[in-house]
Amino acid sequence: MPLTILTDEEVRLLLLTLTKEDVLELQQSLADSLHYYSTSTEEDHNGCCSSMQPLRTALKRSDGQTTLFMPASSNEGLGIKVVTLAEPDAKKKQSVDVGSLKSFDSMSLSTQSSTDTNTQVPPASIDSTQSTTPKGTLTLLDSHGNPRGFINAEELTAFRTALASTMMFKKRTNVHDVVVFGAGKQAYWHIRLALLLRGPEIHHLNIINRSFESAHKLIEKLYKPHAEPPQWPRINIPTPETTTLARPKIQIMTPSHNEYERLLKATVRGSSVIFCTTPSLAPLFPASYLTNPEGRKKGRYVAAIGSYKPHMLELHPDILKQNVAPAHHHHHHKHAATGGAIIVDSVEACLKEAGEIIQAGLSGREVVEIGELVMLKRDAERRRQDATNSSSEELDRAGVELGEAKKVKGREKKEETADKGLMEWLQKGNVIYKSVGLGLMDVVVGSDIVKLADERGIGTRIENF
């Protein structure tokens, strides 16, 4: 059995070669594993079962950094990821970029710019001088304990997180207006996968970040991934000849704009999808933007994956509380369905680590694992075959399909009605997905990446290690 070693750059180069079909296959493989994680028992002898996943160990060092040891089991073997993360420090001075609101209108940069001395400082998060990207390695073993892979975990961590976040995104009816908070690797892969999966349907992409330069570099890397990022303020405009990704109207917003608060409210209200990818210590926007009658009119998919400790949060707890509140039919305002639950990667992990879940005071009855909502590949293919002659089923030709969820409120009533209501909520309603990460996700996606690397001749192979 050979050992395959992949550097961070090799992982990145491999991921950049992925087509939409490749992404769908990787996403389905991860969905199968998460389904087994949520539904299997010890009697099933399934390697992905939650009882087979050891708890992660956190080691906080004197320099303020935290190192996580994340062992995991899958159906193909074992693995452990060891990563170090910077500790958010609210006391450090928050830097605010001197840029403002700029727009890549049809991928050309607007010349408008304005600044204001009364700038609204964004929520505290990791200081701009610190890295917000987990750094470490993923070690993979086969089912017999033989070394199979040794991978730099930096790019892989961001990719596997986005792969899970975009499972629900893939099924949304409306993805016209996408908002992304942050401009790091997590933001990059959420945007890239969103464009690969639903690119032609995305009309507006709004990136909200403290630094305009960082957001600009993200766009450069997105459309010219193999080129050296130019030094600001030089702009390289992508053209149809230089990129295969869809090119929606892109706008970058920073807090130094003199109308930031108004623009932030309008942008969040107008969104159909929000990806929160920052290690924030405070809500990224006021709860009222989404909780008052005007904010509730539109259904949105919101994924919050940036915060990973109980004192950290990107979404105001009131947003989550409203999403799990029982539906009342005597209200005077029309609003999108809320579903009665928050979707998470792991109930156990999120109840212990997710600031949004903890500070909203949610219990295990108000969260449902994404593994309970996705169908196994074999079941999805069977349903597609059964639905061939039926126009009522909205099924893709490939990729993750949605299934049943036992914990979502209202399912104890008529099963057919509950199924229809569940699908309508997941596709059109207000859906919140919260993730703190699972070692299982790294082991499953890492194993698939190692296979692709061997097939495509990427990385270093050591025979008979």
Side-chain angles (χ1 to χ4, degrees), residues 64-117:
Q65 298 190 78
T66 298
T67 298
L68 299 177
F69 299 83
M70 304 168 63
S73 163
S74 74
N75 284 326
E76 294 191 3
L78 307 165
I80 181 169
K81 186 170 80 167
V82 181
V83 289
T84 297
L85 309 99
E87 173 68 12
D89 187 352
K91 296 179 181 178
K92 293 197 175 187
K93 182 181 178 181
Q94 301 297 314
S95 61
V96 179
D97 192 272
V98 295
S100 54
L101 175 75
K102 299 197 184 289
S103 170
F104 284 74
D105 189 358
S106 299
M107 298 315 301
S108 63
L109 185 67
S110 168
T111 58
Q112 64 176 352
S113 174
S114 61
T115 58
D116 185 11
T117 56

Side-chain angles (χ1 to χ4, degrees), residues 305-340:
I305 59 86
S307 60
Y308 51 89
K309 289 190 176 183
H311 67 288
M312 301 170 66
L313 76 169
E314 299 176 285
L315 301 176
H316 195 288
D318 287 351
I319 297 175
L320 279 72
K321 290 178 183 178
Q322 185 181 80
N323 232 51
V324 301
H328 297 290
H329 300 288
H330 53 74
H331 52 73
H332 303 290
H333 304 282
K334 182 180 179 181
H335 60 73
T338 54

Side-chain angles (χ1 to χ4, degrees), residues 15 18-35 159-172 189-190 192-198 275 301 370-371 374-377 384 396 398-402 433 441 444-445 448-449 452:
L15 296 179
L18 299 178
T19 63
K20 178 179 178 179
E21 289 69 30
D22 293 330
V23 171
L24 290 174
E25 282 295 318
L26 290 170
Q27 202 170 50
Q28 183 64 64
S29 176
L30 179 58
D32 284 359
S33 300
L34 291 175
H35 180 85
F159 174 77
R160 61 83 155 146
T161 305
L163 203 63
S165 296
T166 50
M167 287 181 190
M168 293 290 123
F169 164 84
K170 173 181 174 289
K171 301 301 297 182
R172 297 294 293 181
W189 282 108
H190 277 78
R192 186 172 183 86
L193 292 189
L195 292 175
L196 278 173
L197 294 172
R198 305 287 298 273
F275 292 123
Y301 173 62
I370 191 172
V374 294
M375 300 182 71
L376 293 173
K377 182 176 182 179
R384 288 189 187 101
D396 297 331
V400 178
E401 286 295 344
L402 303 180
Y433 170 72
M441 297 163 67
V444 170
V445 177
D448 288 341
I449 292 301
L452 284 175

